[in-house]
Amino acid sequence: GAMRALNLDNEWFTKQNDIYKSRKDRMKKFAELLGLKIDEVQKGMFLWCEMPEEENNSIAYTDNILYKSGIFITPGVVFGKAGEGYVRLSLCADLKIIDEAIRRISNIK
């Protein structure tokens, strides 16, 4: 698969980059609704976000969101002690799913 990907033309990569940029832009709105802080220079398929200052347990924080909205967010601590105080948002979901998550979070805020 990697060999085939390396032989694709730049148009494919440009399209993929545009898709992920759109998702990242939309996910920023989601993060903003939750009071999460995002470092703008991040690249890749995930956004690492700092939790609001008043929150001190990423598992409890994400469980609360899950129970209230049905949205699973990865608590940073599952990646090690240095991840506590952070959550990881995936950019792998389609825009329709991200929009639904925004709607659900808007309804509980």
Side-chain angles (χ1 to χ4, degrees):
M3 289 298 293
R4 184 158 189 246
L6 290 171
N7 290 319
L8 294 172
D9 61 21
N10 283 338
E11 184 178 327
W12 184 87
F13 292 102
T14 299
K15 182 178 178 185
Q16 294 305 306
N17 288 337
D18 290 345
I19 289 169
Y20 278 91
K21 182 183 181 322
S22 296
R23 291 174 181 174
K24 182 178 180 181
D25 290 344
R26 201 75 56 84
M27 193 62 83
K28 285 181 193 177
K29 179 176 174 93
F30 176 81
E32 181 182 300
L33 288 168
L34 290 171
L36 301 171
K37 297 177 193 168
I38 299 174
D39 181 351
E40 293 292 328
V41 298
Q42 294 183 65
K43 306 287 183 203
M45 299 185 331
F46 304 100
L47 286 178
W48 281 93
C49 304
E50 188 175 351
M51 295 178 353
E53 285 184 22
E54 65 273 9
E55 301 293 340
N56 59 11
N57 182 313
S58 60
I59 291 175
Y61 179 72
T62 57
D63 279 353
N64 184 45
I65 293 168
L66 176 63
Y67 297 135
K68 287 183 176 179
S69 68
I71 298 169
F72 175 76
I73 299 172
T74 308
V77 74
V78 301
F79 298 99
K81 286 190 282 186
E84 186 57 82
Y86 294 87
V87 297
R88 189 183 79 166
L89 305 177
S90 174
L91 301 178
C92 297
D94 184 83
L95 287 175
K96 289 179 183 178
I97 293 171
I98 297 171
D99 287 340
E100 174 63 16
I102 290 169
R103 186 191 66 74
R104 289 184 189 184
I105 292 300
S106 295
N107 287 339
I108 65 167
K109 288 293 173 175

